[in-house]
Each structure stands twice: as C-alpha cells, then as structure tokens.
C-alpha cells in the first residue's frame, strides 16, 4: 500500500475506514515516523496489537493510500476502553479525518459493549485537545513527565452510552508497589479519602502489609486478609464493618504444607482475638451491590476482595477500592497497574465493571469467599 500521500492526491470524500491487517504494518510504521518524534510504536508492538484479542486498529484509506489510523485497547472484565494512539498523515490533515476516525473508534468500542473511553493527549497538542473536547470528552487530570521527551499528558474520558450519572467519590489513587500489597494500597486510598492524614508512600504500604498479612498464600509472599486489614483500619481511627460470607479459616486451602496451614490458622485466630477487643462490627452473610450502595450513600468507602480471573485470567485474590455505582456498573480503583500489558494508572481509576460481572468477581476460590470492609469516619463525621 502507498503511504504518506501528497496533499494533491488526498480525496477525503473517498475515504474508507476498515480494520487494519498485518500487511498494513509497513505503512503504519511510515505513518508513525511522519507523525511522532517520540513514543513511536515498533513493528513488534504493532504486530502484537493487530493479533491480540483485546485491541482493535482501524485505518483510513483512499485509493490504496493509508491516510491515518486509530488504535483501541479493551480492558478485560470491565466496560472501559482506551484510545491508545491515533494519527493522520500530515498531507491529509484539516479534512475531518481525525473526527471520522474518532467516531469510528467510539462506535467500535460501543459495539463490543464498552461504555467508557479514555485517552491521553500531549499537553502541547492544541489541535488534538480541541478535537477531543469538541467530541464531548471530559478532562480528568494532567500527568506530568508522561512522554519520552518529558512532555505532560492531559487525560480525558467520554461515556459512550446515555445513562444515569455515577456519583464517584474523589478517592486519591495509589498504585501498589509489589505483587502482594494490593490490600494495603486499597486501604491507603480509603484512609486518604476519609481524612486520616495517612501518607501515600512505600513506607506506609509495607507497614500495613506487615501488620495485616496472612503470612502465606499459594505462592510467594503472603497477602493481607480481611481480619488483618480490618484491624489496621481500626487502629488508624476508622469505624469498620467487616462483611464475610463464612466464619471458618480463610485461604487455608491455598497451601498444601501442613505446617503452613497451622500458621495460617494461628494468624487468623490471633486476629479474631484482637478484633474481639475492638468495636469492629463483624457480620457473617452474603452482601449485595445494594449494600455497597448504602455504604457509599452514608459516606463510607468499601474495599472488596475479588478474584483477578476476569481481569487477567489469573486466579488470585485481590483487593479493590469501590468509588461509586450507577444502574449498570460498580466503579473501582484497582491498585494494580500493568504497564507490560498497556494497563496504566489511568486505566485503573474509577474502572466501570458491569454489576453482574462484579458480582462474579467478588467471589474467590472454590469456597467462593466473599469479603468486604466498610470504612467510615468514627461518629459519622
């Protein structure tokens, strides 16, 4: 395919938008070189993105000439899509192709069931910023030093389907620093929102982990269980309600070694003895989205244990912080970005998860453990 057309050969009236093919890669690489001085997609990245199940690339062409492309990423288990990259050949600009590609990207995302689209744009690109703002994208925040040349990025979001607006809590976002500190990170976000003066740093994260860990998990370092996190939250001045659907030993089936099982048993027994000396409310029984909604309405912040299977196909326990609901979705701060799989911190904030999916996610293991902490200021203040 011919690329990088001269302005005299561009006919925007004859533009066709179609899914990209592998044989478009040479043309896409030329377009990358012509449009971007830094942060260019490589041949290897393009091949991966064109063949993976959770991305789509659309190209605009006219008369066999590639004029531009748009690349979308879809986040498994959520209703969130990300506009990862978009480019229009210099000679084809000013003819509405950017707007056309953006509209087709939104249609592609919506057709696949994704109702929210997010993107980053260079702060020094007023033309692109104007395009997104005219198309109804809402400014979220600015990420400093985001691109390879240290330029900042403006972050935007658009809801692709009409629905009741979610009232999202302005919970500060904190990404976990290790594979095993999702619980402390989720708790830190709630602590920060509830005005406890907690420092969002590695020292606090590790201190909470040492305080609340279950010692062992299926592999690697132990994660934090609900009893330990409840105690840690109570010690930092919060009113805590612990909701569990079981009253037996948790996570004990995740290890085979009898000695490790004894340790897990003892750790939970010690946590339970300490909790008995506090005013933490322990309620055993199933909970629903309506319980989460009530907690949010009362000014509390729920943190919920989920299985990561629907997010990344790994069956691991994982804590998330709930930031809101609407009639279709539960919104969460997921403390685990994954840059290797194009999951940035922007993709982990106020993540919309369909209610039915969240109901399935919030059951872990063969025994379908359900655990939630409802955290609030003491005295309701």
């Amino acid at each position: 395919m011919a690329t990088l057309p001269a302005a005299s050969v561009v006919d925007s009236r004859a533009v066709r938008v179609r899914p990209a093919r592998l044989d478009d890669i040479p043309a896409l690489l030329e377009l990358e070189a012509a449009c971007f001085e830094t942060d260019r997609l490589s041949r290897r990245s393009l091949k991966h993105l064109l063949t993976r199940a959770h991305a789509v690339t659309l190209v605009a062409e006219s008369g066999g000439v590639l004029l531009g492309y748009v690349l979308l990423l879809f986040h498994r288990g959520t209703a969130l899509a990300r506009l990862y990259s978009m480019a229009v050949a210099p000679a084809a600009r000013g003819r509405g192709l950017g707007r056309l590609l953006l509209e087709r990207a939104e249609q592609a995302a919506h057709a696949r069931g994704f109702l929210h689209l997010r993107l980053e744009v260079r702060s020094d690109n007023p033309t692109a910023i104007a395009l997104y703002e005219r198309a109804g994208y809402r400014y979220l925040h600015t990420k400093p030093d985001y691109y390879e040349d240290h330029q900042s990025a403006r972050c935007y979001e658009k809801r692709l389907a009409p629905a009741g607006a979610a009232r999202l809590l302005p919970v500060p976002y904190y990404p976990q620093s290790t594979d095993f500190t999702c619980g402390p990170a989720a708790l830190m976000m709630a602590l920060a929102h509830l005005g406890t003066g907690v420092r969002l740093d590695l020292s606090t994260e590790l201190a909470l982990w040492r305080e609340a860990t279950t010692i062992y998990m299926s592999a690697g370092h132990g994660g934090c269980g609900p009893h330990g996190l409840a105690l840690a939250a109570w010690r930092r001045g919060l009113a805590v309600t612990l909701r569990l659907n079981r009253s037996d030993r948790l996570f004990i089936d995740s290890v085979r070694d009898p000695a490790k099982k004894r340790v897990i048993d003892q750790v939970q027994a010690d946590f339970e003895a300490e909790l008995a000396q506090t005013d933490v409310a322990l309620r055993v029984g199933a909970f629903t989205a309506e319980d989460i909604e009530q907690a949010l309405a009362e000014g509390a912040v729920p943190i919920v244990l989920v299985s990561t299977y629907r997010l990344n196909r790994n069956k691991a326990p994982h804590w998330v912080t709930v930031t809101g609901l609407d009639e279709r979705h539960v919104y969460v701060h997921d403390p685990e970005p994954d840059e290797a799989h194009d999951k940035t911190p922007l993709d982990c904030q106020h993540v919309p998860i369909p209610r039915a999916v969240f109901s399935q996610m919030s059951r872990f293991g063969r025994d379908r453990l359900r655990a939630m902490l409802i955290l609030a200021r003491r005295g309701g203040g």
Side-chain angles (χ1 to χ4, degrees):
M1 173 180 288
T3 60
L4 303 186
S8 60
V9 302
V10 173
D11 182 1
S12 58
R13 296 170 299 178
V15 171
R16 180 170 69 106
V17 178
R18 60 166 175 81
R21 305 183 298 259
L22 288 175
D23 61 6
D24 291 319
I25 288 179
L28 290 169
L29 289 172
E30 284 192 56
L31 193 58
E32 286 286 296
C35 295
F36 304 116
E37 295 183 1
T38 62
D39 300 271
R40 294 170 179 163
L41 291 168
S42 67
R43 180 182 296 273
R44 180 178 180 181
S45 294
L46 284 168
K47 183 177 181 180
H48 172 62
L49 290 165
L50 292 181
T51 56
R52 64 185 290 179
H54 291 279
V56 65
T57 302
L58 303 174
V59 297
E61 66 172 352
S62 177
V65 177
L66 189 144
L67 305 176
Y69 79 88
V70 62
L71 196 162
L72 289 173
L73 301 180
F74 303 119
H75 295 288
R76 192 191 301 270
T78 78
L80 178 63
R82 179 179 170 210
L83 196 157
Y84 185 66
S85 184
M86 185 168 70
V88 174
R93 293 172 185 170
R95 292 168 168 80
L97 291 179
R99 183 177 66 253
L100 174 63
L101 284 167
L102 183 59
E103 290 173 354
R104 294 298 177 84
E106 293 174 357
Q107 293 167 8
H110 189 260
R112 289 164 173 78
F114 293 87
L115 303 183
H116 296 254
L117 185 57
R118 292 181 184 171
L119 59 88
E120 298 104 348
V121 58
R122 289 177 65 95
S123 297
D124 61 353
N125 189 344
T127 302
I129 290 171
L131 169 67
Y132 297 131
E133 291 184 346
R134 284 196 302 268
Y137 285 79
R138 177 176 62 93
Y139 170 75
L140 298 175
H141 57 265
T142 295
K143 298 166 77 170
D145 197 21
Y146 181 74
Y147 294 99
E148 289 178 359
D149 62 355
H150 307 294
Q151 180 58 249
S152 61
R154 289 173 64 87
C155 304
Y156 287 86
E157 179 183 61
K158 181 176 180 179
R159 183 163 187 143
L160 303 180
R167 297 184 61 184
L168 302 178
L169 298 178
V171 177
Y173 181 73
Y174 180 81
Q176 64 190 78
S177 304
T178 76
D179 293 337
F180 49 88
T181 49
C182 58
L187 175 56
M188 288 163 68
M189 290 187 266
L191 288 166
H193 175 72
L194 294 169
T196 64
V198 66
R199 292 186 305 169
L200 298 179
D201 59 19
L202 180 60
S203 178
T204 303
E205 182 181 353
L206 294 178
L208 285 168
W209 174 74
R210 292 195 305 271
E211 199 173 320
T213 181
T214 58
I215 307 298
Y216 295 113
M217 294 296 283
S218 57
H221 295 284
C224 293
H227 299 87
L229 287 173
L231 274 171
W234 179 83
R235 290 175 183 137
R236 284 157 180 80
L238 294 184
V240 183
T241 299
L242 173 56
R243 299 289 301 267
L244 296 168
N245 67 335
R246 293 165 44 193
S247 59
D248 58 346
R249 290 295 181 259
L250 310 181
F251 305 117
I252 202 163
D253 292 333
S254 66
V255 299
R256 298 180 180 179
D257 188 326
K260 291 183 178 181
K261 288 181 181 290
R262 286 195 296 273
V263 170
I264 291 176
D265 182 82
Q266 187 62 54
V267 168
Q268 185 171 327
D270 291 342
F271 279 150
E272 289 174 342
E274 291 183 72
L275 283 170
Q277 304 304 312
T278 73
D279 61 357
V280 171
L282 174 60
R283 299 179 183 175
V284 178
F287 57 85
T288 66
E290 286 69 31
D291 295 314
I292 296 176
E293 189 169 16
Q294 180 179 348
L296 292 168
E298 294 172 352
V301 181
I303 65 173
V304 179
L305 183 74
V306 303
S307 169
T308 61
Y309 181 75
R310 287 179 177 267
L311 297 173
N312 57 21
R313 291 300 186 258
N314 295 323
K315 297 180 180 179
H318 184 60
W319 290 98
V320 297
T321 307
V322 179
T323 61
L325 289 97
D326 61 24
E327 73 280 6
R328 295 183 181 181
H329 304 99
V330 178
Y331 293 79
V332 306
H333 277 357
D334 177 356
E336 188 176 27
D338 186 355
E339 300 283 356
H341 293 88
D342 304 310
K343 184 180 175 185
T344 71
L346 176 67
D347 302 314
C348 297
Q349 299 176 44
H350 302 299
V351 180
I353 301 173
R355 285 195 181 209
V357 174
F358 189 79
S359 178
Q360 294 299 316
M361 287 173 58
S362 57
R363 294 171 167 84
F364 177 74
R366 289 176 297 178
D367 295 326
R368 302 178 73 76
L369 168 65
R370 305 198 72 198
M372 174 172 66
L373 274 67
I374 299 174
L375 308 174
R377 296 182 180 93
R378 286 189 184 162

